[in-house]
Amino acid sequence: VKERELIDWIRGRTPVSPHVLVGIGDDAAVLETEGRLVVTTDTLVEGTHFATGDPPVAVGRKTIAVSLSDVAAMGCRPVAAFLAVALRAEQSGAFAQGVLEGALDIAREFDVPLAGGDTTGTTGPAVLTSTLLGTAPVGRQPVLRSGAKPGEKLLVTGALGGSRAGRHLSFVPRLREARELVSTARPGGMIDLSDGLSTDAWHLAEESRVLIHLFADRIPVSPEAAGLGSALDDGEDFELLFTLPASMARLVQETGLAGTPVTIIGDVLEGGPSVRIVDEEGGERELAPGGYEHFA
Amino acid sequence: VKERELIDWIRGRTPVSPHVLVGIGDDAAVLETEGRLVVTTDTLVEGTHFATGDPPVAVGRKTIAVSLSDVAAMGCRPVAAFLAVALRAEQSGAFAQGVLEGALDIAREFDVPLAGGDTTGTTGPAVLTSTLLGTAPVGRQPVLRSGAKPGEKLLVTGALGGSRAGRHLSFVPRLREARELVSTARPGGMIDLSDGLSTDAWHLAEESRVLIHLFADRIPVSPEAAGLGSALDDGEDFELLFTLPASMARLVQETGLAGTPVTIIGDVLEGGPSVRIVDEEGGERELAPGGYEHFA
């Protein structure tokens, strides 16, 4: 039976985990976890989140990486991954195998077993859905979007914008950075930058019921970005945006996290919920969520 | 923000649960569960698992129902549902709302919160992926495909075949039946019939390393089925196939489960892994998995 062979092939390429009692091949996986659980699901569509000509290994890798980024944004560690794919008939060979290899590669890289999934056919764009389960470190709680508090500083890992040039397929989910962060500090609120800073800062502001001031001249713009507007709105950065008390924020900015630069880019204030961008001359204005803002 | 309104709309239509600490709207849901966890994910594709003209409420309902059926087949109770959809632009209005209503309806029916999801666009067939988490009742373990033991009887709920005539969109996942089963008996192995009896019996035989004898004249054929071949191979029955010691099997056949008829349809024997079908005259032959078998 072909399904049987596929299951055995996957079983041989996924890490053994004490949390996964039954992996791929039953009606459901059986897990044993401790503490609070986080669950996230993300869908990638051919032509939108990846191009038809992109290497299938990179596509599979990204599918899992996007959900790993969500687990990182909760300050948690991944415990099991699930992958459901709908592929066209002509993608059932090398493309399907590449996708699976890419997914298994990044899962192994972060020691996460692929514990289940589903494969179906489609006549249109390929659609790939990952589900990731994670747990908070012992004694810690998941870090929410709603936890940002007035008085805290806003920080971001890495640099933003221009992800479409290639980084969106190869980014490393900030799991190590999140792990170091929650083991040394108590972030108030946290979110990963998937929609773009301008939109995701709004998510943080709305869920936390706060006003956020972004410092235009402090936002780290990646070399591939077309200026600040691009860093604000491009999306798919998959960096961590989080808040910390001021003294801890300065310390984390100095040391970085797991080798990744960290920058203080704003203040959390009473008021809002709203996001305002403050320029070098002290001028400020509301930043439209998802809206492209021109800065000369 | 439109996403914001959608999240609030869903929050108002999903049951409050002590297991869901943070539902839809963060980077991930936060759950608190006890005991062993089961996780299953299933994808439905427009044109394959439902037709373009099918009522969207029925489509959304089926997406969740298929995964609830997997949770039932593990002898578990559902604790949280996740729904990821990729829809065409013209499906973003009434169709999307219908799908969501159907998903929320069946989730409420079984008291399961919709705790997260994702929505994206596609230019091809709609693709819907559900992920369901469940837990075993206190003091019980999930029931696996690998637990069937020689000497046990094989039983099935309901009647098989002809699901495509409509039942595949409206079936009730056998959660109540599974709950009654595991509270009164100790099933050896269990699987839900999604691929069809001929294939799913093979899954059970292979995972349990046993020989299964199916009694041709005992298989309950649904009124919509085109004879025994249809009951064996049509698939999408979403009935439970499970094994019990002989005396318990007879008792369960007499009483049914939660109002649903249950029929002893076979024996579990040493040998195999294989599935053989035995006719009224005692003639037997191997049943090809997924293969259509003609019975006059």
Side-chain angles (χ1 to χ4, degrees):
Chain A
V1 181
K2 217 180 156 195
E3 187 187 343
R4 179 86 245 155
E5 284 164 22
L6 177 66
I7 289 170
D8 287 341
W9 188 84
I10 293 170
R11 280 177 179 164
R13 278 159 188 81
T14 203
V16 172
S17 160
H19 300 299
V20 178
L21 307 180
V22 178
I24 203 159
D26 213 303
D27 292 302
V30 181
L31 308 185
E32 191 159 64
T33 61
E34 269 175 43
R36 289 187 178 169
L37 200 68
V38 297
V39 187
T40 181
T41 190
D42 295 278
T43 292
L44 267 56
V45 180
E46 182 179 9
T48 302
H49 304 94
F50 62 93
T52 302
D54 284 336
V57 171
V59 172
R61 187 185 186 284
K62 179 178 179 179
T63 308
I64 299 296
V66 166
S67 289
L68 287 174
S69 180
D70 282 320
V71 172
M74 302 300 286
C76 290
R77 297 167 194 189
V79 294
F82 298 81
L83 177 64
V85 300
L87 303 177
R88 287 192 303 284
E90 69 265 27
Q91 294 172 324
S92 66
F95 185 86
Q97 184 171 345
V99 162
L100 198 48
E101 280 175 1
L104 288 164
D105 282 351
I106 190 165
R108 258 198 317 272
E109 191 182 326
F110 288 100
D111 203 25
V112 189
L114 184 67
D118 196 9
T119 58
T120 56
T122 180
T123 56
V127 178
L128 301 94
T129 299
S130 64
T131 302
L132 252 292
L133 273 68
T135 51
V138 175
R140 295 296 167 102
Q141 297 305 327
V143 183
L144 306 180
R145 294 181 180 183
S146 56
K149 288 172 286 292
E152 290 181 330
K153 294 286 180 188
L154 185 71
L155 303 94
V156 71
T157 57
L160 312 182
S163 173
R164 277 279 147 192
R167 214 168 66 243
H168 77 105
L169 282 177
S170 60
F171 73 93
V172 180
R174 298 305 195 188
L175 286 161
R176 296 183 192 97
E177 291 77 4
R179 188 167 183 162
E180 194 169 299
L181 176 63
V182 299
S183 72
T184 57
R186 291 270 194 276
M190 183 149 62
I191 187 172
D192 74 321
L193 295 179
S194 49
D195 294 339
L197 177 59
S198 64
T199 301
D200 290 319
W202 267 96
H203 290 147
L204 204 58
E206 287 189 320
E207 289 292 332
S208 296
R209 317 298 297 171
V210 294
L211 169 64
I212 288 176
H213 273 187
L214 289 179
F215 312 142
D217 60 329
R218 299 304 313 277
I219 293 166
V221 181
S222 101
E224 303 92 35
L228 181 59
S230 167
L232 286 170
D233 295 331
D234 282 356
E236 300 232 322
D237 296 304
F238 301 108
E239 297 292 348
L240 296 175
L241 182 72
F242 58 97
T243 67
L244 284 176
S247 60
M248 182 55 81
R250 282 187 293 270
L251 185 66
V252 169
Q253 182 175 243
E254 260 171 53
T255 58
L257 287 170
T260 298
V262 175
T263 313
I264 297 174
I265 60 165
D267 280 326
V268 182
L269 305 160
E270 305 246 14
S274 176
V275 178
R276 299 182 71 82
I277 188 145
V278 185
D279 64 26
E280 289 165 79
E281 288 80 40
E284 60 172 80
R285 56 186 165 135
E286 188 167 277
L287 185 68
Y292 190 91
E293 292 279 326
H294 285 280
F295 288 83
Chain B
V1 183
K2 218 180 156 197
E3 186 187 345
R4 178 87 245 153
E5 285 165 22
L6 177 67
I7 289 169
D8 288 341
W9 189 84
I10 293 170
R11 280 177 179 165
R13 279 161 187 80
T14 202
V16 172
S17 160
H19 299 299
V20 179
L21 307 181
V22 178
I24 205 158
D26 213 302
D27 292 301
V30 181
L31 307 185
E32 191 159 64
T33 61
E34 269 174 42
R36 290 188 176 169
L37 200 69
V38 296
V39 187
T40 180
T41 189
D42 295 278
T43 293
L44 267 56
V45 181
E46 184 179 9
T48 302
H49 304 94
F50 62 93
T52 301
D54 284 335
V57 172
V59 172
R61 186 186 187 285
K62 179 178 178 179
T63 308
I64 299 295
V66 165
S67 290
L68 287 174
S69 180
D70 281 321
V71 172
M74 302 299 287
C76 290
R77 296 167 192 186
V79 294
F82 298 81
L83 178 64
V85 299
L87 303 178
R88 285 192 304 284
E90 68 264 29
Q91 294 172 324
S92 66
F95 185 86
Q97 184 169 345
V99 162
L100 199 47
E101 281 176 0
L104 288 164
D105 283 351
I106 190 164
R108 261 198 314 273
E109 191 182 326
F110 288 101
D111 203 27
V112 189
L114 185 67
D118 196 9
T119 59
T120 56
T122 180
T123 56
V127 177
L128 301 94
T129 299
S130 64
T131 302
L132 252 293
L133 272 68
T135 52
V138 175
R140 294 296 166 104
Q141 297 305 328
V143 183
L144 306 180
R145 294 182 180 182
S146 55
K149 288 171 286 292
E152 289 180 331
K153 294 287 179 186
L154 184 71
L155 303 94
V156 72
T157 58
L160 312 182
S163 172
R164 277 278 147 192
R167 212 167 69 244
H168 77 105
L169 282 177
S170 61
F171 72 93
V172 180
R174 298 306 195 188
L175 285 161
R176 296 183 192 95
E177 292 76 4
R179 188 166 181 161
E180 194 168 300
L181 175 64
V182 299
S183 72
T184 57
R186 291 272 194 276
M190 183 148 64
I191 186 171
D192 74 322
L193 294 179
S194 51
D195 294 338
L197 177 59
S198 64
T199 300
D200 290 320
W202 267 96
H203 289 147
L204 204 59
E206 286 187 322
E207 289 292 333
S208 295
R209 318 297 299 172
V210 293
L211 169 64
I212 287 176
H213 273 187
L214 289 178
F215 312 141
D217 60 329
R218 300 302 314 277
I219 294 166
V221 180
S222 101
E224 303 93 34
L228 181 59
S230 168
L232 287 169
D233 295 330
D234 282 355
E236 300 232 322
D237 296 304
F238 301 108
E239 298 290 351
L240 296 175
L241 182 72
F242 58 97
T243 66
L244 284 176
S247 60
M248 182 57 81
R250 282 188 293 270
L251 185 66
V252 169
Q253 181 175 245
E254 259 171 53
T255 58
L257 287 170
T260 298
V262 175
T263 313
I264 297 174
I265 60 165
D267 280 326
V268 182
L269 304 161
E270 305 245 12
S274 174
V275 178
R276 300 182 71 82
I277 188 145
V278 184
D279 65 27
E280 290 166 78
E281 287 82 39
E284 61 172 81
R285 56 186 166 136
E286 189 166 276
L287 186 68
Y292 190 90
E293 292 280 327
H294 285 280
F295 288 83

